[in-house]
Amino acid sequence: MTTLDLSRAELALIVLYLNKAEARDKICRAIQYGSKFLSGGQPGTAQTVDKNTSLARKVFRLFKFVNDFHGLISPVPKGTPLPLVLLGKSKNALLSTFLFLDQIVWLGRSGIYKNKERTELLGRISLFCWLGSSVCTSAVEIGELGRLSSSMKKMEKELKDDDELYRAKRQKSNDRTLALIKSSMDIVVAIGLLQLAPKTVSPRVTGAFGFTTSLISCYQLLPSRPKLKTP
């Protein structure tokens, strides 16, 4: 593969990446929370961008609750401990509820649904569901990292570090560590949006954490890069 072919392949991957609704949503999320960080909760252009982008993002999430509802009713891998199963299903249920209620919030804030008080109430309930799902996700990742660590320690006694299976588990461990960092930071974001600790988690802190987790999400959605073969 020549350098030109590699460039074309990378450009094709960028097009493929941007064609994903999830990727566009996370890019918009980065803009949203970046604007929140810049505004610091004060009126102005940055706050306007924050609010408008937040409303626009809800369109990307229409009917997305079906994904987590499917995960809720799907069987789990054999050998998964019961506590992790319950935490995983709780995460699916809470996230599915958040995404479903978020659609009603979008209807209210776009003017289709006229009950403003009900819209704001459902908005807070949905954020509490997202907070709960982030807590469950963090707990699941901690549990899975513990299982992976035990498995890798056993393999270290029998296999070398360059073994393919060992490398795969190490990569999986790195991915789960990144997911744990993201979900833990999202807990702070949810607390900030709900204003549960306004003195500690200010709009600027919420924006900084949200922007960081958005970049992590964008990274997690990146496709594998093509490799240049040497003749």
Side-chain angles (χ1 to χ4, degrees):
M1 181 181 289
T2 65
T3 303
L4 180 59
D5 290 334
L6 182 62
S7 300
R8 288 172 177 168
E10 289 183 334
L11 184 59
L13 288 176
I14 293 173
V15 172
L16 180 65
Y17 178 77
L18 294 176
N19 280 338
K20 295 179 181 179
E22 183 76 10
R24 295 197 302 273
D25 175 48
K26 298 310 178 186
I27 292 172
C28 289
R29 188 179 190 268
I31 295 172
Q32 174 193 344
Y33 283 103
S35 300
K36 184 180 288 293
F37 171 77
L38 292 175
S39 71
Q42 300 301 316
T45 303
Q47 189 181 67
T48 302
V49 172
D50 171 19
K51 292 181 177 179
N52 290 343
T53 308
S54 175
L55 183 61
R57 284 186 59 227
K58 296 185 186 301
V59 179
F60 290 112
R61 299 200 294 263
L62 288 176
F63 302 107
K64 190 179 175 182
F65 71 92
V66 176
N67 295 348
D68 279 279
F69 181 73
H70 180 265
L72 178 64
I73 63 177
S74 297
V76 297
K78 292 183 178 180
T80 305
L82 181 59
L84 291 183
V85 172
L86 294 176
L87 284 169
K89 295 300 182 183
S90 297
K91 181 205 76 171
N92 291 136
L94 288 166
L95 194 54
S96 181
T97 304
F98 159 69
L99 292 168
F100 177 77
L101 293 177
D102 199 50
Q103 295 180 135
I104 303 176
V105 174
W106 172 73
L107 291 173
R109 292 180 181 172
S110 59
I112 299 173
Y113 180 60
K114 303 299 183 181
N115 193 326
K116 185 176 180 180
E117 291 183 0
R118 182 66 60 83
T119 298
E120 294 305 315
L121 175 61
L122 292 177
R124 283 191 65 81
I125 293 174
S126 70
L127 286 174
F128 272 111
C129 289
W130 183 49
L131 173 61
S133 72
S134 297
V135 172
C136 290
T137 300
S138 296
V140 168
E141 296 301 339
I142 291 172
E144 291 292 354
L145 280 169
R147 296 178 67 200
L148 272 173
S149 178
S150 299
S151 176
M152 291 172 67
K153 285 180 180 179
K154 291 180 181 178
M155 294 179 66
E156 285 175 354
K157 297 178 181 179
E158 304 172 1
L159 304 172
K160 296 180 179 179
D161 287 355
D162 61 351
D163 182 85
E164 185 176 350
L165 181 58
Y166 181 86
R167 291 200 307 269
K169 284 186 176 290
R170 185 169 56 187
Q171 180 60 46
K172 192 174 182 180
S173 177
N174 293 338
D175 293 341
R176 286 199 173 276
T177 300
L178 185 62
L180 174 60
I181 294 171
K182 175 181 173 295
S183 60
S184 299
M185 295 182 73
D186 274 338
I187 293 173
V188 179
V189 176
I191 291 173
L193 294 176
L194 287 165
Q195 297 183 344
L196 299 179
K199 293 183 178 180
T200 304
V201 187
S202 64
R204 197 175 294 278
V205 172
T206 304
F209 275 66
F211 181 74
T212 303
T213 57
S214 299
L215 294 182
I216 293 174
S217 295
C218 289
Y219 171 78
Q220 290 173 323
L221 291 169
L222 285 174
S224 300
R225 295 183 60 187
K227 295 181 179 180
L228 182 61
K229 295 182 179 179
T230 56

